[in-house]
Amino acid sequence: MYWYTILGTIENQFPNRKLREFKVFLQVLDRDMPELLCSGHPFPKENYNINKLFDTYGEIAADYYVKKYVYAEQSLETMPEVKYDVVIYFEGYIVCWELSSKVKDGSLLKTSVEDETRILHIIPGIDGDIKKCYLDSDNAAIKIKVICLKDYVTQKWGITLLDQ
């Protein structure tokens, strides 16, 4: 119901926007009690302090990473009169806005995990796919996926966000 009705609105994610509170009680035939559905899409709670996550979850800390990006009242570059809102949630992995132009494939980067140095691998996208970035090392059990949000939004959705 959240995906296909006003019940799943994202309006409550934007500051200074009032959303009329309402509740829907949904009861399906094979249940004794109705399920309460509240207005607003149920996003996970932000949890992006990677040091605390590693203290709590160890090597699976990235699975619990949640970071929210909200862009209200954006406009299209070619049609500034068209306005839109964007809410992006990343769950798991490392998310950054963009990689510095100084960082190249094979660069050594120090992570916040035990001050470990890892090699950045950048795999170019094929046929318009988004490039893939990983932090890896010979003695690490897992690779850390890095998502560059600016590339993702631009290449995946064709949206250009202007610097403010």
Side-chain angles (χ1 to χ4, degrees):
M1 290 217 20
Y2 283 112
W3 285 103
Y4 301 106
T5 67
I6 190 64
L7 191 62
T9 182
I10 62 170
E11 289 296 315
N12 59 351
Q13 297 294 306
F14 299 98
N16 303 322
R17 293 206 190 157
K18 296 290 182 198
L19 179 63
R20 195 174 114 222
E21 285 293 322
F22 63 94
K23 298 175 184 177
V24 172
F25 292 91
L26 178 67
Q27 185 167 356
V28 293
L29 296 176
D30 66 343
R31 302 287 177 181
D32 294 332
M33 297 295 295
E35 180 181 349
L36 172 63
L37 304 174
C38 297
S39 59
H41 187 81
F43 289 104
K45 183 180 174 200
E46 278 192 282
N47 194 10
Y48 53 88
N49 183 325
I50 199 68
N51 291 325
K52 283 185 182 177
L53 288 169
F54 270 98
D55 288 345
T56 304
Y57 301 107
E59 66 183 36
I60 61 168
D63 293 344
Y64 295 90
Y65 180 94
V66 178
K67 179 69 175 148
K68 172 176 75 169
Y69 295 89
V70 175
Y71 299 95
E73 298 183 21
Q74 297 293 306
S75 61
L76 297 174
E77 191 173 320
T78 56
M79 294 185 289
E81 68 278 5
V82 174
K83 303 285 186 202
Y84 61 92
D85 299 324
V86 178
V87 175
I88 302 169
Y89 269 79
F90 278 97
E91 298 178 43
Y93 315 120
I94 293 175
V95 178
C96 62
W97 178 242
E98 65 184 326
L99 291 175
S100 166
S101 59
K102 297 176 186 176
V103 177
K104 306 286 184 211
D105 183 48
S107 294
L108 293 176
L109 301 175
K110 190 167 274 214
T111 69
S112 59
V113 184
E114 299 175 5
D115 264 349
E116 180 181 53
T117 300
R118 289 186 176 235
I119 299 169
L120 177 68
H121 295 287
I122 302 174
I123 303 164
I126 300 170
D127 295 330
D129 274 351
I130 298 166
K131 70 182 174 196
K132 294 176 175 57
C133 302
Y134 297 94
L135 291 172
D136 200 5
S137 72
D138 293 335
N139 58 357
I142 59 171
K143 293 180 183 178
I144 300 173
K145 186 174 183 181
V146 178
I147 297 173
C148 300
L149 185 59
K150 187 175 182 180
D151 292 343
Y152 187 88
V153 168
T154 303
Q155 293 173 0
K156 191 75 168 176
W157 297 332
I159 296 174
T160 302
L161 298 172
L162 305 175
D163 293 330
Q164 295 187 3

